[in-house]
Amino acid sequence: MMVCGEETRGNISQILALSTVPGTAASWADKLYTCTYTLPAGSLVLSVKEAADPDAARVTFQDLQRSTHAAAPIQGLANLGFPAFQTPASAVFVKDNFVLTVDAAALPDTLGPNQVTRAAFAYQVATTVLACWSE
């Protein structure tokens, strides 16, 4: 799956100016694909929950948004036309029948040469995944 693919690994390396591509560990259970990146500063977790159809994905997303502390909707052009929310350490988007979550909670408050916040990093990773997402 693309969240653990070469393009995403390369984008993460570029965003953080890493000298090597990060290692990953992937799992698949209960229609949830998870890819954990081992970064020098800690772990980054990308996951994709597959729903039966787009309506079910929106329900999953809404349930997750309601149950997530500090969830704030991403609005305007920043949501790329998809339902989305962000926390101080994550970004969540719905596309088609999938819910994409980028969780940077295990990383420091700021990271990389530009000292981006975890929230900004999670958002940037999510949007790079969505930019190349195809069914």
Side-chain angles (χ1 to χ4, degrees):
M1 180 161 268
M2 83 172 33
V3 296
C4 223
E6 283 186 43
E7 188 171 0
T8 302
R9 290 192 343 238
N11 287 334
I12 290 170
S13 294
Q14 185 176 19
I15 293 166
L16 296 178
L18 301 176
S19 59
T20 60
V21 176
T24 59
S27 65
W28 171 257
D30 298 322
K31 298 194 178 216
L32 179 69
Y33 183 82
T34 304
C35 182
T36 302
Y37 285 80
T38 304
L39 301 173
S43 296
L44 173 69
V45 180
L46 280 66
S47 62
V48 176
K49 179 69 173 180
E50 182 182 3
D53 55 47
D55 289 338
R58 281 187 184 247
V59 169
T60 298
F61 168 82
Q62 290 165 349
D63 289 346
L64 184 59
Q65 186 174 16
R66 276 193 293 275
S67 67
T68 301
H69 176 71
I74 300 173
Q75 299 176 335
L77 295 176
N79 71 10
L80 308 176
F82 304 114
F85 73 86
Q86 191 164 23
T87 72
S90 67
V92 181
F93 285 80
V94 177
K95 184 171 189 281
D96 304 322
N97 62 314
F98 301 100
V99 178
L100 168 67
T101 301
V102 177
D103 182 353
L107 295 171
D109 291 340
T110 59
L111 60 157
N114 298 318
Q115 294 296 293
V116 296
T117 65
R118 288 183 298 194
F121 178 61
Y123 173 82
Q124 190 172 8
V125 171
T127 58
T128 60
V129 168
L130 289 168
C132 61
W133 191 310
S134 60
E135 292 186 63

